[in-house]
Amino acid sequence: MRVEEKQTTVDRETGSQTIGRSFEKVCEILDHHQRNPAMLIPILQAVQAEYRYLPKEALAYVATSLGLPPARVFGVATFYAHFALSPKGKYVIHVCDGTACHVKNSQGLVDAIRKRLGLSEDKHTTDDMLFTVETVSCVGACGLAPVAVINEAVHRQVSPQAGVAAIEKILESEEQA
Amino acid sequence: MTTTAKTPTEILADAEAAHRAVAGAVERRIIICAGTGCVAGGALAVRDAFAAKLDTLGLRVTIALEYESPAAADVYLSKSGCQGFCQMGPLVTIEPEGVLYTKVQAEDVAEIVQTTLMGGDVVERLLYVDPRKREHCRSKDDIPFYQRQERTALKECGSLDPEDIREYIALGGYHGARRALCEMTPEEICAEVLRSGLRGRGGGGFPTGRKWELTRVQPGHEKYVICNGDEGDPGAFMDRSLMEGNPHAVIEGMLIAARAVGARTGYVYVRMEYPLAVKRLRRAVDDAHRFGVLGADILGSGFDFELKIMEGAGAFVCGEETALIASVEGKRGMPMPKPPFPAQSGLRGKPTVINNVETLAAIPLILRTGAEAYRARGTANSPGTKTFALTGHVANTGLIEVPFGATLNEIVYEIGGGVTDNAGRITDRPFKAVQIGGPSGGCLVGEHADLPLDFDSLGSVGAMVGSGGLVVMNDTTCMVSVARFFMQFAQNESCGKCVLCREGTRQMLALLDEIIAGDADETTLTVLEQTAQAVKTGSLCGLGKTAPNPVLSTLHYFKEEYEAHVFDKRCPVGACKALTPPVILAEKCIGCGLCVRKCPVKAIAGEKKQPHVIDHQTCVKCGVCLDACKFGAIVQGVAV
Ligand SMILES: Cc1cc2nc3c(=O)[nH]c(=O)nc-3n(C[C@H](O)[C@H](O)[C@H](O)COP(=O)(O)O)c2cc1C
Ligand code: FES
């Protein structure tokens, strides 16, 4: 793939670090994994942990450094649900839609949260980059269904009202900040 | 820690003695459940509150036993893995009395300290109340949820500090590994596991001893052991609890497997949604290295074994063994046709044993107490116990363990405490269905209430043990929607490699959507069933082969419900919005007439200022009136 100049500016606008710095970090990550192509998934996980998503040029850079065809790296990055190719919001809300949560009305919860934030099944991130709302299949807390995870903190037995209340609380704290 | 001069038995005995000495010096132990559920409920704040409160009283508190520089403490605030009773968390146990407090919040701590620790009394309001007998239960042993279970794999999960390897050893840990490494040949280990009758808990139920033996006899020195901690079934969390609550049991199981087949390297593949499991496993691996039960020359036996932890990246199909292997190799997790089986050609083309977390966690016990003792539980063809995640419309949701052969009645009513309505209250109405085995499984209904559950009996009624998710559904659940839910899941997770799975799941999902939207005709059910059979027969891997199961199983047991959707355009429980006409709530309707004007088919009528009514014969269920009404007086999706 060609790394286009245009792409770089787009990413700058969306608030990620500048490309020069990102390569430095990516290099560190690659070295940490001995530039071993078999470690592609852990490498991408580390890159994503750094930037909250996988910038396109970082993927191209990883491919070149590991001596892999870029298609292979993109193939892996798009195959796994965990990898995001576009930036995520500051607060990532994972609403569980596993079986246990589903039978306890997780759909109502997702609908309520999406409605509050003006999001939909196709639009996951708010324009101000504050919230990303996604559904996941089971976070392993099924005894507490329905469950929502906001930036790694697990919330239990979340009714649609409680979900919206949690969002209001975040909005409030953001306004104060 | 040096291991040079000591015998393996001495190494373990020393660790045990160290634990007893240090633990014995502490008067009290307060065990706080630090499973995911209790942490979500505020367990860590409870622990901090205990530490602060005890500190103000001048008591010396420790949150981990200090072995290097043992300083006597008065109270040991220890955390445990998931104790299973998630519904009632956060759970706090006060030792030595064994009092169990439920739903504890930081605000309750002062009272517990005052009343129980100082006064020797119990705080009644924090005890669990048996809803049947309306009695307070003082300890775990009094609670029906625990009384009816037989916890072996999970036994230590509720008390052991998962970050304390010495405590694990003191409870008999690594003794099975010692026996395997120092007293048995690889052949004998395989034979012992085969004799125990242990069958894989990952879903298939393949005899573990046979799998190991197949791998053992392969030529070559490079072999691998993989622990499958991908736990993809949405609605199941047994493996998570084991990895978090007793990580050393998993490691010991892998060590024994490695010895049995001659592998030098192992991988634990953990779902990315389980960060705590990853953390605990990493810590456990480090501790095991320091104790010489991992690494080079383990327990002086000359055997070497290294263990690596790898996080998944969110793909259900990676739970399938060949896909998992591709993922460990850094590729897209796509399955490969079998044979060759991983035992013949697995990771990097080398013979590989791949076992589920729960399977591996059962191994130390088998080696420690012997195959016969293990066989004493369970049924002849499915020995031992099985953990289940009991969820859905049931009073006591959580993690349970019962011997194979337990019945649904025992599980749902005696352990689960009964079926609940949508508001969470216990009802007298029976369950409508219990979904077992997740997206690959099927449903069990009233007629199976007394069926002894094991691998073979479940297979004979079109269901499967699967990973062990048990989702109880009450009579407000629409079974067509349930089938659609699982199909959506399978369709999302289909890796796209083979046509029947990729296109077939899409077709089935479209057909189910038609049924739910009221667009189905007399051919729909036939096409659905034919497609299901085709996908079942023609898919490459287990995902596609089993994806039609929820459809076939609900079609079998709830045919009338499908037919009501298709022919009468009616959802019997009123869950499918498009098939349930809107109704006007008389108490909320002020008779403004707005809906009358908006209704495109003139189905609404009524006097001004009087509650209106909808003529269900004329209504096309478009939903316009719902949006029009400003008073929330029109609802849809409730049974009429
Ligand atoms: C689609 C699919 C998903 C699977 N998911 C899991 C899983 O999450 N965990 C697991 O242990 N086995 C899973 N399996 C079964 C594995 O392929 C394999 O049979 C199992 O790990 C073997 O271990 P066992 O013999 O100890 O059961 C899955 C199989 C299929 C077809
Ligand atoms: S189904 Fe939601 S946490 Fe498991």
Side-chain angles (χ1 to χ4, degrees):
Chain A
M1 103 150 221
R2 281 175 305 139
V3 181
E4 291 169 40
E5 204 32 55
K6 222 171 77 212
Q7 207 89 50
T8 318
T9 31
V10 172
D11 276 328
R12 270 204 201 104
E13 278 166 10
T14 51
S16 81
Q17 274 107 333
T18 58
I19 291 314
R21 260 183 72 201
S22 77
F23 279 175
E24 213 172 275
K25 261 283 163 206
V26 176
C27 275
E28 259 173 49
I29 292 168
L30 284 163
D31 290 341
H32 180 77
H33 290 98
Q34 292 90 38
R35 305 197 172 230
N36 178 356
M39 300 300 277
L40 177 59
I41 293 173
I43 289 170
L44 294 182
Q45 280 164 338
V47 173
Q48 175 151 314
E50 188 65 34
Y51 304 104
R52 301 216 306 262
Y53 80 110
L54 296 173
K56 281 210 171 65
E57 16 327 85
L59 286 179
Y61 189 81
V62 167
T64 318
S65 310
L66 296 179
L68 291 172
R72 166 86 194 279
V73 175
F74 273 84
V76 168
T78 50
F79 182 83
Y80 293 98
H82 175 52
F83 294 128
L85 296 182
S86 52
K88 290 195 183 185
K90 180 170 171 192
Y91 297 92
V92 179
I93 305 180
H94 282 156
V95 180
C96 178
D97 193 25
T99 322
C101 291
H102 188 79
V103 301
K104 294 235 174 139
N105 193 25
S106 55
Q107 194 57 48
L109 176 61
V110 194
D111 291 346
I113 292 179
R114 281 194 182 135
K115 192 162 166 222
R116 173 64 188 84
L117 294 173
L119 298 175
S120 69
E121 222 168 295
D122 306 312
K123 182 173 159 61
H124 294 173
T125 302
T126 53
D127 294 332
D128 59 6
M129 297 303 292
L130 208 48
F131 291 97
T132 296
V133 179
E134 289 166 348
T135 55
V136 292
S137 299
C138 192
V139 297
C142 325
L144 311 169
V147 175
V149 185
I150 306 182
N151 285 358
E152 308 212 335
V154 179
H155 295 247
R156 51 192 279 160
Q157 291 162 349
V158 194
S159 63
Q161 293 83 341
V164 173
I167 287 172
E168 302 292 354
K169 216 168 118 191
I170 295 174
L171 283 171
E172 228 167 76
S173 71
E174 278 296 319
E175 259 165 41
Q176 276 162 13
Chain B
M1 164 123 204
T2 56
T3 55
T4 36
K6 292 185 198 160
T7 67
T9 316
E10 280 166 356
I11 297 172
L12 297 179
D14 283 357
E16 183 174 341
H19 175 75
R20 290 207 194 291
V22 179
V26 192
E27 236 170 75
R28 275 194 176 283
R29 181 168 181 171
I30 301 177
I31 302 172
I32 297 169
C33 178
T36 304
C38 286
V39 169
L44 297 182
V46 171
R47 189 181 72 172
D48 294 345
F50 265 112
K53 179 73 192 165
L54 295 169
D55 195 51
T56 60
L57 294 171
L59 291 167
R60 290 161 307 163
V61 179
T62 178
I63 56 164
L65 291 180
E66 290 274 351
Y67 291 98
E68 310 307 328
S69 51
D74 303 302
V75 182
Y76 172 25
L77 265 185
S78 90
K79 54 186 178 314
S80 76
C82 177
Q83 304 187 8
F85 206 14
C86 309
Q87 176 99 14
M88 299 305 293
L91 303 176
V92 174
T93 311
I94 315 278
E95 299 284 6
E97 294 89 341
V99 177
L100 175 72
Y101 290 129
T102 58
K103 297 200 174 172
V104 180
Q105 291 299 308
E107 301 84 72
D108 303 321
V109 165
E111 191 179 347
I112 296 177
V113 171
Q114 204 59 44
T115 313
T116 311
L117 268 58
M118 307 308 230
D121 242 333
V122 292
V123 183
E124 216 164 65
R125 66 179 180 89
L126 293 174
L127 293 178
Y128 174 74
V129 182
D130 179 352
R132 295 252 175 88
K133 296 194 198 140
R134 300 187 189 283
E135 272 169 20
H136 287 89
C137 303
R138 240 180 94 93
S139 76
K140 257 188 194 161
D141 302 334
D142 305 326
I143 301 178
F145 176 77
Y146 287 110
Q147 278 173 341
R148 305 287 172 161
Q149 296 188 45
E150 237 175 86
R151 299 193 144 217
T152 56
L154 295 175
K155 188 162 163 233
E156 267 90 45
C157 268
S159 55
L160 175 89
D161 178 350
E163 296 183 1
D164 187 346
I165 185 171
R166 291 182 184 84
E167 183 170 15
Y168 177 70
I169 293 173
L171 291 165
Y174 289 108
H175 284 277
R178 185 193 53 79
R179 191 174 156 228
L181 265 59
C182 306
E183 294 170 8
M184 296 169 83
T185 64
E187 226 172 324
E188 285 167 352
I189 304 173
C190 293
E192 178 101 23
V193 174
L194 187 63
R195 252 203 328 277
S196 75
L198 177 68
R199 295 174 69 171
R201 305 293 197 246
F206 191 80
T208 306
R210 183 131 39 99
K211 188 184 275 188
W212 289 12
E213 180 65 15
L214 273 173
T215 317
R216 188 188 70 79
V217 297
Q218 298 297 320
H221 289 296
E222 197 185 335
K223 295 180 186 175
Y224 296 97
V225 173
I226 298 178
C227 169
N228 188 342
D230 200 45
E231 194 156 58
D233 170 2
F237 57 105
M238 299 78 52
D239 295 348
R240 167 177 205 156
S241 305
L242 274 169
M243 290 186 283
E244 287 179 6
N246 199 354
H248 283 289
V250 179
I251 295 174
E252 188 182 353
M254 291 185 73
L255 172 58
I256 296 169
R259 169 66 177 177
V261 304
R264 297 288 146 89
T265 312
Y267 291 86
V268 190
Y269 188 93
V270 190
R271 257 183 113 203
M272 58 143 298
E273 282 86 355
Y274 295 177
L276 186 59
V278 172
K279 189 177 146 235
R280 295 257 167 89
L281 279 165
R282 290 225 160 98
R283 163 83 196 250
V285 167
D286 288 348
D287 286 345
H289 263 280
R290 252 181 295 130
F291 263 80
V293 288
L294 274 185
D297 190 18
I298 295 171
L299 292 172
S301 65
F303 182 70
D304 308 338
F305 184 55
E306 287 294 341
L307 199 55
K308 299 187 176 127
I309 315 285
M310 178 165 172
E311 272 182 86
F316 171 68
V317 72
C318 284
E320 199 281 333
E321 49 197 18
T322 57
L324 190 151
I325 287 170
S327 184
V328 174
E329 290 171 348
K331 302 184 189 137
R332 286 195 278 176
M334 288 197 173
M336 301 278 285
K338 292 186 276 193
F341 293 96
Q344 303 156 316
S345 168
L347 186 61
R348 306 186 186 110
K350 305 294 177 196
T352 303
V353 159
I354 174 159
N355 273 130
N356 168 259
V357 171
E358 198 185 329
T359 316
L360 288 164
I363 297 288
L365 184 72
I366 294 173
L367 269 282
R368 200 161 71 227
T369 59
E372 281 65 36
Y374 188 79
R375 288 201 76 97
R377 289 198 176 85
T379 62
N381 289 325
S382 309
T385 54
K386 174 80 190 91
T387 59
F388 289 102
L390 184 62
T391 60
H393 299 129
V394 58
N396 304 329
T397 55
L399 186 67
I400 64 164
E401 181 171 355
V402 289
F404 276 113
T407 66
L408 267 191
N409 260 344
E410 285 163 10
I411 293 174
V412 174
Y413 294 100
E414 295 181 17
I415 297 173
V419 179
T420 56
D421 64 14
N422 289 343
R425 289 178 301 252
I426 297 178
T427 73
D428 293 335
R429 298 223 288 275
F431 60 81
K432 179 170 184 177
V434 176
Q435 218 284 342
I436 182 167
S440 315
C443 54
L444 299 170
V445 294
E447 68 184 77
H448 304 125
D450 291 315
L451 180 79
L453 303 184
D454 68 18
F455 286 109
D456 307 314
S457 69
L458 281 167
S460 70
V461 297
M464 65 189 277
V465 174
S467 55
L470 276 179
V471 188
V472 181
M473 300 179 191
N474 68 17
D475 53 10
T476 67
T477 315
C478 168
M479 298 317 286
V480 183
S481 307
V482 168
R484 186 203 175 275
F485 169 78
F486 283 117
M487 194 48 66
Q488 168 93 63
F489 180 84
Q491 205 272 315
N492 272 344
E493 297 295 341
S494 169
C495 78
K497 183 166 176 168
C498 72
V499 180
L500 270 160
C501 174
R502 184 181 67 226
E503 299 302 326
T505 52
R506 189 183 298 281
Q507 282 308 319
M508 284 189 280
L509 182 62
L511 291 167
L512 288 164
D513 274 335
E514 276 176 22
I515 297 175
I516 284 171
D519 297 334
D521 58 34
E522 53 282 359
T523 62
T524 310
L525 290 182
T526 322
V527 179
L528 180 63
E529 190 150 3
Q530 282 169 349
T531 318
Q533 293 297 356
V535 173
K536 199 175 161 110
T537 323
S539 292
L540 171 65
C541 87
L543 193 156
K545 283 195 201 338
T546 58
N549 286 355
V551 169
L552 291 169
S553 159
T554 46
L555 264 175
H556 181 76
Y557 293 110
F558 298 98
K559 189 84 180 225
E560 332 74 69
E561 203 163 316
Y562 275 91
E563 285 168 352
H565 283 74
V566 173
F567 300 110
D568 311 341
K569 308 289 176 217
R570 186 173 64 84
C571 173
V573 299
C576 299
K577 277 203 179 138
L579 297 184
T580 320
V583 281
I584 298 180
L585 303 172
E587 67 276 11
K588 283 198 178 165
C589 176
I590 62 152
C592 69
L594 188 58
C595 56
V596 178
R597 288 194 295 281
K598 289 268 168 131
C599 177
V601 292
K602 309 228 175 305
I604 309 180
E607 296 281 308
K608 240 191 161 37
K609 305 233 166 95
Q610 293 296 314
H612 292 4
V613 277
I614 299 173
D615 173 14
H616 291 160
Q617 298 299 316
T618 321
C619 173
V620 293
K621 304 163 194 112
C622 65
V624 164
C625 56
L626 280 127
D627 298 331
C629 182
K630 295 196 179 92
F631 304 95
I634 308 183
V635 291
Q636 193 177 20
V638 291
V640 264

